[in-house]
Amino acid sequence: MDDSLEKKWRTTINPKIERRLHKKFSSAALLGPFFKRRYDIERIANINYGNAGKRNQLDVYRHRSHPTGCPTLVHLHGGGFVGGKKNSQSLPLIYQLASKGWVCISANYRLSPDVKFPDHLIDIKKVIAWVREHGSEYGADPTMIFLAGNSAGAHLTAMAALTPNSPTFQPGFECVDTSVIAAICLSDSFFHISPFIS
């Protein structure tokens, strides 16, 4: 660097960056992009939203300052309807939004072959119903729900957004508002955001 940029180049850059250049290489530099946890965010894990054990559990991510009236992102994992779990996908997105004052929820749902359609979708409607009833206890604004998912979770996201308040997919909780503000459908090759204003 001294040969290419002359010896005074260090005085022209940010002092914090210049100090870091003197540090020795650390293996943490290689692993840094893979660390997902942020210490300004708290995770409340394994909250039951239904009666199907761990497949009907969700995690809440929120800023440690406990803001209120926050927009809410509900994320659904992928896995071809036969695998996946709530704390394994889109965590950088979840932590980033939570650090900006969102309440983020990552939910499990029942999987095939133990269940068949529409049981997966009914679970997603139960998650939305849970946010409507309990979201404000965690700082969420229950009227500002954004639904997102990866792969199979994206399919469920679209299905839930396109069937708001459908009694067929809400057995036992037909009167709950299951509409969402927007559906964010993610996959390996693309993502698409569709508004569903009620």
Side-chain angles (χ1 to χ4, degrees):
M1 299 265 302
D2 288 342
D3 292 340
S4 298
L5 300 175
E6 300 181 5
K7 295 197 185 271
K8 294 182 181 179
W9 69 270
R10 291 179 185 273
T11 62
T12 63
I13 64 171
N14 184 310
K16 288 181 181 180
I17 295 172
E18 198 277 329
R19 283 192 296 272
R20 280 194 251 150
L21 293 174
H22 292 290
K23 293 183 179 179
K24 290 186 177 182
F25 178 77
S26 163
S27 60
L30 286 176
L31 299 174
F34 301 102
F35 292 134
K36 299 172 189 155
R37 186 169 179 192
R38 290 184 53 143
Y39 294 100
D40 57 333
I41 305 305
E42 75 176 333
R43 173 182 169 226
I44 302 102
N46 303 323
I47 301 169
N48 294 317
Y49 70 84
N51 58 5
K54 70 179 183 176
R55 295 311 320 169
N56 275 179
Q57 289 184 333
L58 57 83
D59 296 345
V60 174
Y61 297 80
R62 65 178 177 179
H63 197 275
R64 289 192 184 277
S65 65
H66 296 183
T68 59
C70 304
T72 305
L73 177 79
V74 174
H75 182 268
L76 309 172
H77 64 79
F81 301 99
V82 297
K85 60 183 180 177
K86 59 183 166 50
N87 60 344
S88 65
Q89 297 174 10
S90 297
L91 292 178
L93 170 66
I94 288 169
Y95 278 112
Q96 180 68 16
L97 288 176
S99 75
K100 303 293 185 193
W102 286 63
V103 170
C104 296
I105 294 167
S106 187
N108 282 339
Y109 50 87
R110 291 174 291 168
L111 300 172
S112 297
D114 295 334
V115 298
K116 295 179 181 178
F117 186 83
D119 294 335
H120 316 87
L121 180 56
I122 290 169
D123 284 353
I124 305 321
K125 300 282 193 165
K126 286 181 182 178
V127 173
I128 297 168
W130 182 90
V131 175
R132 294 267 190 243
E133 185 176 351
H134 300 285
S136 60
E137 298 167 26
Y138 298 90
D141 177 349
T143 67
M144 292 286 292
I145 301 172
F146 296 78
L147 194 58
N150 293 64
S151 192
H155 179 87
L156 291 170
T157 293
M159 290 291 294
L162 292 168
T163 59
N165 310 320
S166 173
T168 304
F169 304 121
Q170 296 178 212
F173 59 107
E174 294 86 353
C175 295
V176 176
D177 178 10
T178 58
S179 63
V180 296
I181 297 294
I184 305 157
C185 301
L186 307 164
S187 78
D188 296 339
S189 60
F190 74 96
F191 74 92
H192 182 72
I193 301 175
S194 300
F196 289 91
I197 307 300
S198 52

